Amino acid sequence: MRGGGIRVLRTIIARRAGFCFGVRRAVEAARSAAPAYTLGPVIHNPRVVAELAALGVLSADTPEAIPEGARAVVRSHGVGRDTLSRLEKRAGQVCDATCPFVARIHDMAREAESAGLPLIVVGEERHPEVEGIRGWTNCQSYAVADEAAAMALPAMERALVVSQTTFIAERFESVCAAIRARVREAQVRKTICPATRDRQQEAVRLAQSADVMLVVGGRESSNSRKLFELVGKVCPRSHFIEDAREIENTWFHPADLVGITAGASTPDCTIKEVAARMNDIEKQ
């Protein structure tokens, strides 16, 4: 405890750590559909992917790579219109586990198409969610992840602007400011998932009071990497880990307050193992 007495290592786990609604829904859909195929890993977490593979849920890169007539699952990231059409023609049954928040952005992309408006997605160009969103309009579309990319956009009279659901809220505002310098009339829809926003805000608050932060998530998880970026700005002693085995005793001092948060694709069992490992270190 701080300010006198016996000073011991303490650990606080963020309340909003681990699976979000959309990811949990997609994983449960994949388990129920087994044996089945998903387009890309159902979530960016190697442990969960391996557990699903043991049940017969395998990953394919394209609809054509799925055996004809097999059962298929659309993961939470969603897919574009053409990809979904190809999948429905190839598979015997398609379970669409697209996150409802992502599906809502697909509706907006179709809305932009109907109005003849260019679509600008604030997010990572090669992220599957962004690729899927852009796949729901036949009009011109762009993906911009930072101010520099926004300033490189061609000049436009009008455009519809949406966001990747896991984008950092503060950065979204600055990127949109740059977009407005290139688009005379930008219709901005802030489509960041509320759960993502709350998770990020809670993680930053925890990092502001913690001596050490642990961010638990898959290396390929976009939202986990963003969490690590955010907490690292306010807590220099932050570490990005996939599981409890990566924790090193040398990261901690006896009087430290350790904060733990986790990305939306991190299963509860992994968080519990990290907490158990920290309990062992506290006892030492």
Side-chain angles (χ1 to χ4, degrees):
M1 50 191 291
R2 299 171 185 267
I6 300 174
R7 296 168 64 82
V8 296
L9 185 70
R10 293 182 297 152
T11 300
I12 297 177
I13 301 175
R15 291 172 52 204
R16 296 177 177 87
F19 278 1
C20 66
F21 160 75
V23 167
R24 192 178 301 279
R25 176 173 173 268
V27 171
E28 290 174 353
R31 286 194 178 118
S32 299
Y37 286 81
T38 62
L39 286 182
V42 67
I43 61 172
H44 291 136
N45 184 279
R47 178 174 184 164
V48 176
V49 170
E51 290 174 352
L52 289 172
L55 296 175
V57 180
L58 306 177
S59 175
D61 293 331
T62 66
E64 291 70 31
I66 293 174
E68 194 167 356
R71 188 179 293 118
V73 179
V74 177
R75 57 186 177 173
S76 60
H77 298 110
V79 295
R81 180 166 46 203
D82 177 67
T83 302
L84 182 59
S85 177
R86 287 157 50 205
L87 187 62
E88 289 174 340
K89 291 177 182 177
R90 182 73 177 177
Q93 178 184 351
V94 176
C95 173
D96 190 349
T98 302
C99 172
F101 289 106
V102 177
R104 185 168 63 95
I105 308 175
H106 292 175
D107 292 338
M108 295 177 189
R110 289 195 292 268
E111 178 186 330
E113 180 183 58
S114 297
L117 291 176
L119 177 71
I120 301 173
V121 184
V122 180
E124 302 168 32
E125 183 176 8
R126 297 302 177 191
H127 191 279
E129 180 189 318
V130 174
E131 293 176 336
I133 293 169
R134 296 177 69 188
W136 283 96
T137 177
N138 286 322
C139 292
Q140 190 65 53
S141 68
Y142 307 87
V144 294
D146 52 37
E147 293 89 336
M151 292 304 297
L153 288 168
M156 288 175 262
E157 280 296 308
R158 301 171 63 209
L160 178 65
V161 182
V162 297
S163 172
Q164 181 179 340
T165 56
T166 56
F167 205 73
I168 296 174
E170 291 75 11
R171 185 177 297 166
F172 177 76
E173 300 299 338
S174 61
V175 173
C176 284
I179 289 173
R180 289 187 176 96
R182 304 299 297 158
V183 182
R184 195 172 71 85
E185 185 182 335
Q187 299 179 25
V188 177
R189 310 272 181 88
K190 191 172 183 179
T191 54
I192 296 172
C193 170
T196 294
R197 179 199 61 217
D198 293 345
R199 182 193 307 268
Q200 291 174 353
Q201 291 175 349
E202 181 190 27
V204 169
R205 287 195 299 269
L206 181 54
Q208 288 170 341
S209 60
D211 299 295
V212 182
M213 281 293 297
L214 300 181
V215 179
V216 190
R219 302 290 181 205
E220 302 302 316
S221 167
S222 174
N223 73 86
S224 297
R225 293 198 308 270
K226 290 184 176 71
L227 271 181
F228 180 63
E229 176 186 344
L230 284 169
V231 303
K233 290 179 180 179
V234 294
C235 181
R237 292 167 63 196
S238 294
H239 303 275
F240 190 175
I241 61 174
E242 278 199 345
D243 55 47
R245 294 171 298 180
E246 297 180 10
I247 298 174
E248 298 182 17
N249 294 32
T250 55
W251 292 346
F252 314 105
H253 305 310
D256 282 343
L257 172 62
V258 182
I260 299 173
T261 188
S265 55
T266 306
D268 295 341
C269 55
T270 298
I271 299 172
K272 290 177 181 178
E273 288 168 0
V274 169
R277 172 75 176 119
M278 287 307 304
N279 186 53
D280 290 341
I281 294 174
E282 290 171 16
K283 290 177 180 178
Q284 294 172 18

